[in-house]
Amino acid sequence: MKKRWLFGVTAALTLALAGCGDQEAETEKTSAKTTEEAKATEAETQKISYLGTDYTIPAKADSIVAASLEAMEDAAVLGIKPTGVLEIAGEIPAYLAEDLEGAKLIGDKRAPNAEAVLALDPDVIVGTSKWSDGTMAEMNKIQTTLPYSHISTNWKENLTALAQMAGKEDEAEKIIADYQAKAESAKAQVKDKLADKTVLMIRVRGGLMYIYPANTYLNPVLYDDLGLTVPKIIADTKAQAEITLETLASVNPDAIFLQFEESENADAPDALKDLQKNPIFSSLTAAKNKQVFVNTIDPLAQGGTAWSKVKFLDAAVEHLIQ
């Protein structure tokens, strides 16, 4: 009886140990499978670290939707072909049309069409920090969306992030290096000549004149890259702000870069002509000395992109040292 009992205990223990062994083997197998799956997933994705936030997107992003003019400009300068882009008056903006030919239209810059974006099955969406929280949330429901910065001083981070998505990091590094070298050379030509001069960038929208902070729109090219003195009125400006003719006369700039886009002035199509004919404007030092430069680059250019900076740097230097 005792022998049988010992035999039973031994058999039970053997089975239990065998079961533990099987369970351990199964656990190791499951763990190995999980590790392999994690590695596979990691290999299929990439992490974009952008302005303090990480974004996970496919390692090979074949379908990039450029849902902001900023992203469209950077795509053009990098040679990226987005599957979807914004429209102006039902078409790809003329100044980017050749570079972005073949892309599907997904609506206007204020509110891209979610259905049109969804139909493209994007790997990533590149939007803008100017969107409302609602628009950003809607796009994120479709796919990971980067809030591409509209602050001009973030242009390198913008370009680098977009380049990483498309495997064009080398191109981005060259664009940045070439621009910095050209800006440094241009600063030497412009700074001394205009050391005591006041230069303003003004944008006409809705028939009114607007100025921007020193770090916004095309201003960094003038005040950072070319080293021009930041006028007090610009230093005091915290966001897009209207400037009246009377205030402009009190500043009396030596040179003005004036941007006027027809689609932004649909209700005031003659605003530019009326401004140029206005006796107050005509009395400005810049006007009297023929230093008012209209649309030196395309008026739809967003300013805070590599495309805008490269184009405007060349134009600004050409006009300021003539």
Side-chain angles (χ1 to χ4, degrees):
M1 181 74 175
K2 187 175 181 181
K3 289 183 180 178
R4 265 187 265 162
W5 179 81
L6 287 173
F7 177 78
V9 170
T10 302
L13 183 59
T14 301
L15 289 172
L17 290 173
C20 287
D22 291 343
Q23 188 175 9
E24 288 175 5
E26 188 62 33
T27 299
E28 289 177 4
K29 185 177 179 182
T30 301
S31 177
K33 183 179 180 182
T34 302
T35 301
E36 289 176 5
E37 289 175 348
K39 288 181 179 179
T41 300
E42 187 176 339
E44 293 170 0
T45 62
Q46 61 175 312
K47 182 174 71 175
I48 306 290
S49 294
Y50 174 68
L51 297 179
T53 302
D54 292 338
Y55 300 84
T56 300
I57 69 169
K60 194 171 181 343
D62 294 319
S63 177
I64 298 174
V65 168
S68 63
L69 288 173
E70 291 92 345
M72 290 163 62
E73 288 184 14
D74 277 348
V77 81
L78 284 168
I80 294 171
K81 294 290 187 182
T83 53
V85 297
L86 300 178
E87 64 179 75
I88 300 290
E91 298 179 337
I92 298 175
Y95 75 111
L96 299 173
E98 183 176 349
D99 291 314
L100 306 183
E101 183 180 5
K104 300 293 184 182
L105 300 178
I106 59 166
D108 65 40
K109 61 183 180 181
R110 290 178 181 81
N113 185 299
E115 291 184 3
V117 174
L118 183 62
L120 295 174
D121 190 23
D123 294 313
V124 62
I125 301 168
V126 187
T128 172
S129 57
K130 292 184 286 190
W131 277 348
S132 67
D133 290 342
T135 299
M136 184 60 69
E138 186 176 38
M139 290 298 110
N140 267 307
K141 288 179 182 177
I142 297 172
Q143 190 53 275
T144 300
T145 302
L146 261 73
Y148 224 52
S149 177
H150 71 285
I151 302 301
S152 299
T153 48
N154 290 329
W155 75 280
K156 294 177 191 174
E157 289 83 353
N158 282 354
L159 189 71
T160 301
L162 185 60
Q164 187 178 341
M165 295 176 199
K168 288 182 172 283
E169 293 95 328
D170 290 345
E171 287 89 335
E173 288 178 8
K174 186 176 189 308
I175 290 167
I176 292 170
D178 287 351
Y179 178 82
Q180 291 177 324
K182 183 180 287 188
E184 197 62 33
S185 174
K187 181 187 287 188
Q189 300 177 62
V190 172
K191 192 175 181 182
D192 291 339
K193 180 180 179 181
L194 299 170
D196 59 345
K197 304 296 184 183
T198 299
V199 180
L200 286 186
M201 164 62 65
I202 297 175
R203 195 174 185 181
V204 180
R205 311 182 86 179
L208 303 174
M209 294 186 295
Y210 290 93
I211 56 176
Y212 296 84
N215 68 345
T216 305
Y217 194 41
L218 291 161
N219 281 342
V221 175
L222 298 175
Y223 308 128
D224 292 340
D225 304 335
L226 293 178
L228 302 181
T229 301
V230 180
K232 184 178 185 305
I233 191 170
I234 297 298
D236 292 341
T237 299
K238 305 306 179 188
Q240 175 179 280
E242 182 186 351
I243 181 171
T244 65
L245 269 170
E246 290 72 24
T247 300
L248 183 59
S250 69
V251 176
N252 194 24
D254 298 287
I256 298 173
F257 288 93
L258 193 62
Q259 296 289 101
F260 177 87
E261 162 58 31
E262 291 181 3
S263 66
E264 296 180 337
N265 293 276
D267 296 331
D270 296 324
L272 178 60
K273 293 178 183 176
D274 293 342
L275 176 63
Q276 291 171 315
K277 291 187 297 185
N278 188 286
I280 297 177
F281 190 85
S282 300
S283 69
L284 298 174
T285 297
K288 289 190 291 187
N289 292 337
K290 301 186 187 305
Q291 296 297 294
V292 177
F293 311 117
V294 179
N295 292 347
T296 51
I297 64 170
D298 194 282
L300 277 174
Q302 296 302 288
T305 69
W307 189 99
S308 290
K309 288 175 74 69
V310 168
K311 299 287 185 182
F312 184 58
L313 179 67
D314 289 341
V317 172
E318 177 186 347
H319 288 87
L320 291 173
I321 66 173
Q322 62 184 359

